[in-house]
Amino acid sequence: MSRYAHGSNPAARVILVVADVMALILGLWILMYLLDANRANDLVDFVHRSANWLAGWSRDLFTFDEAWARVVAGYGLAAVVYLFIGHAVAGRIRR
């Protein structure tokens, strides 16, 4: 059975896709940060600005000594929350 069941509610499908794309952007920024991507690159800049906007509420929530730990925890928390809430709401709409 596929992840998006045949005949499911289109609104639930849209919510799932939006939540997944938001988490993907946040995860992509975490990966780019850890791999020390070139910040002057337009794609890296776009992903960084988008991730900053998406994780505005959690970006500076943790105060680890290491910068990489702050990035992983702050942006990672936002990604997990968006996935959890998006999938919970979509599951509720399907019922």
Side-chain angles (χ1 to χ4, degrees):
M1 186 151 123
S2 73
R3 181 174 179 189
Y4 304 106
H6 178 67
S8 67
N9 188 325
R13 230 177 304 144
V14 167
I15 291 170
L16 283 175
V17 168
V18 168
D20 289 348
V21 167
M22 290 165 55
L24 175 71
I25 290 170
L26 290 163
L28 190 57
W29 170 243
I30 292 170
L31 183 64
M32 287 178 171
Y33 182 85
L34 293 175
L35 295 175
D36 199 27
N38 179 6
R39 304 259 176 109
N41 181 284
D42 289 338
L43 175 63
V44 175
D45 183 54
F46 171 76
V47 171
H48 186 205
R49 285 185 289 115
S50 300
N52 274 342
W53 185 80
L54 289 170
W57 60 272
S58 69
R59 190 176 53 229
D60 295 325
L61 192 60
F62 301 101
T63 57
F64 297 113
D65 290 334
E66 299 292 330
W68 68 267
R70 286 191 304 272
V71 168
V72 170
Y75 291 91
L77 174 65
V80 169
V81 168
Y82 289 137
L83 282 175
F84 179 77
I85 291 175
H87 285 253
V89 169
R92 195 80 169 139
I93 289 174
R94 281 191 189 148
R95 292 183 185 172

